[in-house]
Structure formats: structure tokens, C-alpha cells
Amino acid sequence: MKNVYFNNLDSLVLIQLIVVEQKQPQSLKNNNNNNNNNNNNNNNNNNNNNNNNNNNNNNNNNNNNNNNNNNNNNNNNNNNNNNNNNNNNNNNNNNNNNNNNHL
């Protein structure tokens, strides 16, 4: 209830306005609820997709790291083998030279 005063022909008149609360129809409430539910579902789906993408990225990174480590290990092994072969060759050459010197 609101009181409104105004002057009309020099007389003070009081008019009482009745404010009626407008209620939302049930169909609108249902639509709003459905929209909210859809938005929540979309958000959840987006979050799940982001999580899946992050997991995939992490897995890919881990795989790449593992591959790099394996490659490094293989390279190290190859280098070690080459060094060993070189050492063996040098030793053989030294032995041959010593043998020749004794002849």
C-alpha cells in the first residue's frame, strides 16, 4: 500500500495505491529452472572436457619425456660402446706395436 499526495484544485487529495505482487507463472519458473540446469550441465561438460584435455596433455608430456629419456639413454649407451671399441682398438694397436718392436 502506498500513499500518494497531490494538489487538485487547491485541495489535498489522498489516493491509496495497491501494489499487487506479480507472480511468475509456473511455466516461466520451469523454463528458468530448465535453463539453469542446462547451463549447469554445459558448465560441467566444459569442465570435464577441460580436465580431459589437461590429462591428455599431461600424458603426452609424460610420453615425450619418457621418449627423450630413452633416446638419451640409447645415445649414452652408444657412446659408451664406441668408447669401449676405441679403447680396445687402441689396446690392440699398442700390443701389435709392442710385438713388432720385439721382433
Side-chain angles (χ1 to χ4, degrees):
M1 193 77 74
K2 288 188 181 178
N3 292 339
V4 175
Y5 296 90
F6 64 93
N7 285 322
N8 183 17
L9 300 177
D10 296 331
S11 62
L12 189 62
V13 179
L14 168 63
I15 296 182
Q16 290 186 323
L17 295 179
I18 301 177
V19 179
V20 179
E21 181 187 357
Q22 184 180 6
K23 300 208 173 187
Q24 259 189 345
Q26 189 61 40
S27 59
L28 277 186
K29 288 186 185 174
N30 287 349
N31 278 350
N32 282 346
N33 281 346
N34 283 345
N35 283 345
N36 283 345
N37 283 345
N38 282 346
N39 282 345
N40 283 346
N41 283 345
N42 282 346
N43 282 347
N44 282 346
N45 282 346
N46 282 346
N47 282 346
N48 282 347
N49 282 346
N50 282 347
N51 282 346
N52 281 347
N53 282 346
N54 281 347
N55 282 346
N56 282 346
N57 282 346
N58 281 346
N59 281 347
N60 281 346
N61 281 347
N62 281 346
N63 281 347
N64 281 346
N65 281 347
N66 281 346
N67 281 346
N68 281 346
N69 281 346
N70 281 347
N71 281 347
N72 280 347
N73 281 345
N74 281 346
N75 281 346
N76 281 345
N77 281 345
N78 281 345
N79 280 347
N80 281 345
N81 281 345
N82 280 346
N83 280 347
N84 280 345
N85 280 345
N86 280 346
N87 280 345
N88 280 346
N89 281 345
N90 280 345
N91 280 346
N92 280 344
N93 279 346
N94 280 345
N95 280 347
N96 280 345
N97 280 345
N98 280 346
N99 282 347
N100 280 342
N101 282 343
H102 280 295
L103 291 180

